[in-house]
Amino acid sequence: MLAPLVAAAALLSACGGGTSQVEAFKPARLLVLGDEASMLVDDGNADGFKYGINDRRGTAAGKCLLVPTVAQFVAIQYNMVFAACNPTPTSGPNAGIKPDPKAFIHARLNAQVDDATTGLKAQIDGIANVGSSDMVLVMIGANDMIDLYAQKKAGTLTAAQAEAEATRRGSVAAAQINRILRTGARALVITIPDMGTSPYALTADKTDAGAAKLMSTLSTEYNAALRLGIDSTDFDGRNYGLVLADDVVAAMARFPGSFLSSPSNVADAACNSATPDTCVLTDSKDTTTLVDGAKNATAPTNAYLWATDRHLGPVALTQIANQAISRAINNPF
């Protein structure tokens, strides 16, 4: 009597039943939505800059591939390149031949979720033919938390109103993600870190007591609305992977010695540059765009949780990217 059951189980497994993938999802395109944390700015030679720490040491092309963003890590997983980071190979069988870009950045500078020009709806509207062969990476909301705090400080919103607006914006982001998923595309959805732990919030708190606590609350409300707003009736792990950047950054802030090189710093930004995309590591000890503590460290970029007052540093990005890639590989898309 066991033989038919064994045969049935084998057939079910072969047809995609059970808990493992029969064939991994291989997207034709990677579409990146969000804010400047996912952007690459072309330097004119397809060796672009990112908003955070840029390692421009050496003379070889391809420095844009160093200290990658989360989007870059995911693109590498799928053997894809972005137009703004596509140096010509100088060796190997494809020497002198650039691959065609299959990864595309639609993220916008200073983007906020519901902004008519830079928001998620505007970004999605600008993409042609989103469908079942696409992987969409979504990482947005950090700028919204800073905006809501600024409005509360200016007196145009109360704390309660700011919290309600954070919830609304999380719901707006979820609605746009539902819109993406209805096309058949798969998605990697990344929560925002607790912006109350950012150097921006900690600096604000020195002159405006309660600023950091409020921004932590706003971040929590936003993430909760984002997660709850994705339609659980129609979509689950077969459609999208949830990447918990908030949990990653919280763990790093609480146990920095487990993640960051010594002496670790979770409160300050590594960059002192006014413009995030000009924070450039030019050698291991000294550069005009890093703070003194980062200049003196053996591995300066690995000691800091935050690159700028609002953008995460390389170690945090790597940790988040590891979780994103795990979702991409293991979710039964």
Side-chain angles (χ1 to χ4, degrees):
M1 293 181 64
L2 291 176
L5 295 178
V6 172
L11 180 61
L12 178 63
S13 177
C15 294
T19 59
S20 62
Q21 290 177 258
V22 174
E23 184 176 349
F25 173 63
K26 296 179 180 179
R29 296 187 301 179
L30 173 64
L31 307 173
V32 179
L33 309 179
D35 57 32
E36 65 273 10
S38 299
M39 287 178 58
L40 289 166
V41 182
D42 197 339
D43 67 344
N45 296 303
D47 199 357
F49 287 79
K50 63 210 69 178
Y51 284 82
I53 294 173
N54 295 272
D55 190 340
R56 309 303 284 191
R57 292 174 290 184
T59 58
K63 292 183 282 294
C64 58
L65 293 169
L66 303 175
V67 289
T69 65
V70 174
Q72 285 182 288
F73 273 115
V74 174
I76 291 168
Q77 174 64 30
Y78 290 125
N79 294 313
M80 294 180 180
V81 298
F82 295 99
C85 183
N86 190 15
T88 304
T90 57
S91 60
N94 295 319
I97 304 173
K98 284 189 176 187
D100 292 332
K102 299 295 184 182
F104 303 93
I105 296 174
H106 297 273
R108 309 280 182 86
L109 179 62
N110 299 323
Q112 295 181 26
V113 169
D114 205 20
D115 185 88
T117 302
T118 66
L120 273 184
K121 182 180 185 301
Q123 293 179 30
I124 297 169
D125 288 346
I127 306 172
N129 303 319
V130 180
S132 59
S133 63
D134 293 321
M135 172 65 82
V136 182
L137 185 148
V138 184
M139 185 177 178
I140 194 171
N143 290 330
D144 292 81
M145 302 306 102
I146 293 174
D147 170 60
L148 293 177
Y149 162 70
Q151 290 193 55
K152 188 269 178 184
K153 184 179 180 181
T156 55
L157 290 177
T158 65
Q161 288 170 333
E163 292 174 26
E165 179 63 8
T167 298
R168 189 192 71 81
R169 294 191 191 189
S171 298
V172 169
Q176 292 302 316
I177 291 166
N178 288 332
R179 176 187 172 196
I180 292 167
L181 296 177
R182 289 189 189 102
T183 70
R186 278 68 161 186
L188 292 172
V189 180
I190 305 176
T191 60
I192 62 170
D194 177 357
M195 294 303 290
T197 66
S198 68
Y200 175 92
L202 297 179
T203 299
D205 205 61
K206 294 176 182 178
T207 56
D208 183 18
K213 182 179 179 180
L214 174 61
M215 292 187 68
S216 289
T217 300
L218 296 176
S219 300
T220 299
E221 295 295 331
Y222 173 87
N223 282 332
L226 170 66
R227 296 176 63 172
L228 292 173
I230 298 175
D231 189 342
S232 60
T233 301
D234 291 337
F235 309 122
D236 54 25
R238 295 167 297 178
N239 311 98
Y240 75 100
L242 184 65
V243 181
L244 302 176
D246 51 337
D247 284 0
V248 170
V249 174
M252 294 182 69
R254 187 175 181 185
F255 305 107
S258 299
F259 300 92
L260 302 170
S261 60
S262 182
S264 58
N265 189 320
V266 299
D268 303 310
C271 300
N272 64 14
S273 174
T275 308
D277 66 335
T278 61
C279 184
V280 178
L281 180 64
T282 55
D283 63 51
S284 62
K285 294 288 186 180
D286 187 29
T287 174
T288 58
T289 61
L290 293 180
V291 298
D292 288 341
K295 291 178 187 178
N296 297 328
T298 302
T301 63
N302 294 335
Y304 282 74
L305 175 58
W306 296 88
T308 76
D309 69 347
R310 68 199 66 187
H311 300 107
L312 291 167
V315 179
L317 295 179
T318 300
Q319 293 293 324
I320 295 167
N322 286 342
Q323 191 175 127
I325 291 169
S326 176
R327 298 289 188 269
I329 293 172
N330 295 313
N331 276 41
F333 290 133

